[in-house]
Amino acid sequence: MDDSRVQEAFTAAVKARENAYAPYSGFKVGAALAVRGLSKLYPGCNVENASYGGTLCAERTAMFSAVAENGKVPFEFCVVVTDTEFATPPCALCLQVFSEFCPPDFPIYLGTVKEGIQKKLLLKELLPIPFNTIPE
Ligand code: THU
């Protein structure tokens, strides 16, 4: 995967973040998910609810949108963007959902609006033992 595609996904995640609906936390998150073999990127933002548990994270919004359009397809990488000083990793629930659709070496790029991409982490580094796998 070339760098320009990751940059393109970063731009898409920044744009998606602008659409985040976060009146309760004030914490806006943007994501963009690349699917192997498709040029289109799947953007996601967090969407909160007055009933807090109804909130959906940016990463899962992106994943579920890709599945809604394509079924189960191989995800290539994901970019997550916040407007914090340091980039923010996905929550454990989103990591668990990634593990349903992605291999352990799935790359997750973390960035901030101001600094751009700051870090590349693999799913297995963030969630070494997902639920429903057999620990070694
Ligand atoms: N949030 C995400 O969108 N992604 C994560 O991985 C962690 C948290 C959202 C959920 C909620 O709207 C806000 O950030 C504060 O938790």
Side-chain angles (χ1 to χ4, degrees):
M1 158 223 330
D2 69 296
D3 251 25
S4 66
R5 185 130 165 86
V6 176
Q7 279 313 312
E8 192 193 329
F10 171 76
T11 303
V14 169
K15 190 161 169 253
R17 185 188 162 277
E18 285 162 16
N19 292 327
Y21 177 72
Y24 303 103
S25 73
F27 190 72
K28 295 185 168 196
V29 185
L33 179 71
V35 173
R36 206 168 292 283
L38 296 182
S39 57
K40 177 177 175 176
L41 293 163
Y42 289 86
C45 63
N46 51 329
V47 182
E48 298 188 346
N49 192 271
S51 174
Y52 293 179
T55 294
L56 196 63
C57 291
E59 297 89 328
R60 275 176 292 148
T61 306
M63 282 188 271
F64 294 162
S65 169
V67 172
E69 196 167 296
N70 306 287
K72 187 177 193 293
V73 280
F75 294 164
E76 195 179 353
F77 68 89
C78 188
V79 173
V80 183
V81 174
T82 51
D83 192 15
T84 43
E85 186 182 355
F86 301 106
T88 312
C91 76
L93 190 47
C94 288
L95 294 172
Q96 178 61 38
V97 176
F98 275 125
S99 80
E100 186 81 28
F101 297 107
C102 308
D105 62 354
F106 177 76
I108 299 172
Y109 294 89
L110 307 179
T112 67
V113 173
K114 291 183 190 72
E115 303 289 334
I117 305 270
Q118 289 185 334
K119 231 176 177 37
K120 175 192 177 184
L121 291 163
L122 304 180
L123 177 58
K124 67 183 174 195
E125 296 174 307
L126 289 162
L127 185 67
I129 309 174
F131 174 69
N132 215 19
T133 59
I134 299 151
E136 301 208 350

